[in-house]
Amino acid sequence: MASLTGVSLKLTPLSSSFKPTQVPFLGVSNVNSVSFPSLTMRPGSFRIRISCAAKPETVDKVCKIVRKQLALPADSSVTGESQFAALGADSLDTVEIVMGLEEEFGITLEEESAQSISTVQDAADLIEKLLEKKGA
Amino acid sequence: MNIRCFPRKFSSALPPLVPLQLPSPMETHLWYILPNEVKSVALLNQYSELLSPCERENVNRMGGDQLKKRALLARALVRTTIARYQTNCQMNPRSLKFRKNIYGKPEIGIDVEGKQRKIKNDIIAFAQRYFSPCEVKLLTAISDSEIQRQEFIKLWTLKEAYVKALGKGFSAVPFKTFTIRFKASTIRCFHLPGNSVSEASEVIVESSDDPKNLPNNWQFALLEVAASHYVAICTEKDKIVGGEANRPMKLTVRKTIPFVEDVCVSGTDAVLVLGGIIEQ
């Protein structure tokens, strides 16, 4: 699954002329991690899954809440890829962060969410999904 | 968890681990390590050698030296302690392989929180969001904000310990669906003469909506350890056939530095019983 922080992306159309050795062109400013399914394929059976990631502003807001909750020094790095556990968050921290996110974004996160989010990006993606549902 | 062990020769750098006798049935052993007491870089490096490559990677992923040290000590503590209970073969803690499987039901849960831990959200707002109405009422009634904070943390650790003991995960047993509270102990306790039994209030759990799960099966211990941390332990009760009496939770607490020393702290100031019927 390719995970992106850029907002716009371009893909070459998937067609029978697609060669296994070519990597689709992704026109984005930064790519966090790109991994593709193994490219042993028959024509037409190739699938690629892209998850549309959250806006940078959402990620930033989450980072801010996480920093505050964990009382991180100003020079410590918190990005979309940051894992809560690696930043020193235990289960109480995670629930406090979830509560902070609920208040900041005006949403309600189910208990399963608190269990399933392990990075800042996970939280931001989930928030945007819920905002979308709410706003739609 | 499944554990497989492969007896191997010890590395010459570390002394052999002192073996331990397994607890008797329904007996709980609690081991803890104080990171501040482990200063030797050489010792920390030796601990690092005990970890699997995956565990070492996890340790290195932690942000900052203090977090790395904590993560390292946690894994070293787990490996060395379990290795010492293997009485059949001389166990090398490095050889332990941990596998998680979905069938493992722990029947014991534990949670630890620092006493001084600050809560960033408003405590009552947090409780209203996550705790049961009964618990919210209890916390709201506490006027001293410091005592309220402490009681909140104690309640959190007890609730966490219960959910972990059930082994179904945080989402399967939402905190709102059960109440944990203290109740003055009215039960008679049987214990061996010479052992100390603390009869602080009994800790009980009441489930709001799951009739299948009998909360009376569970017993709790709430401790203040090393004057710095609250520890909650939840285990299944020892069922006595044909008897009304409840046995206290048999607990031994030891402070350790793997390969260096063990200190039994049960019955000392290092272990204060705040809740539960405990025999140490």
Side-chain angles (χ1 to χ4, degrees), chain A residues 115-129:
Chain A
Q115 265 193 300
S116 67
I117 58 172
S118 56
T119 65
V120 169
Q121 191 71 49
D122 289 342
D125 292 346
L126 183 56
I127 288 164
E128 293 232 333
K129 205 155 77 179

Side-chain angles (χ1 to χ4, degrees), chain A residues 50-110:
Chain A
I50 301 279
S51 72
C52 292
K55 297 195 277 287
E57 304 93 73
T58 309
V59 175
D60 284 343
K61 277 189 187 167
V62 176
C63 286
K64 207 169 103 191
I65 289 170
V66 170
R67 278 185 179 284
K68 185 167 158 226
Q69 175 63 35
L70 302 178
L72 298 174
D75 58 352
S76 67
S77 155
V78 183
T79 66
E81 284 179 324
S82 300
Q83 290 180 315
F84 294 131
L87 295 171
D90 64 9
S91 57
L92 180 50
D93 287 311
T94 307
V95 177
E96 284 220 78
I97 287 169
V98 166
M99 190 169 165
L101 297 175
E102 288 183 330
E103 283 178 354
E104 172 73 25
F105 293 98
I107 50 176
T108 302
L109 292 160
E110 298 308 314

Side-chain angles (χ1 to χ4, degrees), chain B residues 50-119:
Chain B
L50 302 176
L51 270 47
S52 70
C54 191
E55 288 171 336
R56 257 197 298 271
E57 210 181 285
N58 286 339
V59 167
N60 286 327
R61 226 180 281 153
M62 300 298 279
D65 288 339
Q66 282 312 306
L67 290 178
K68 283 189 170 74
K69 185 178 173 185
R70 238 171 53 180
L72 171 59
L73 291 177
R75 288 319 292 173
L77 178 65
V78 170
R79 282 183 171 268
T80 54
T81 308
I82 292 177
R84 292 172 66 179
Y85 284 111
Q86 307 297 323
T87 47
N88 298 336
C89 47
Q90 274 292 290
M91 258 305 309
N92 186 333
R94 198 179 327 187
S95 319
L96 290 169
K97 283 182 161 45
F98 291 92
R99 276 200 329 251
K100 289 185 186 159
N101 73 50
I102 56 171
Y103 305 106
K105 186 171 192 264
E107 293 165 3
I108 182 165
I110 183 170
D111 196 55
V112 186
E113 294 292 347
K115 243 180 92 178
Q116 299 303 324
R117 190 201 177 105
K118 294 285 170 271
I119 307 301

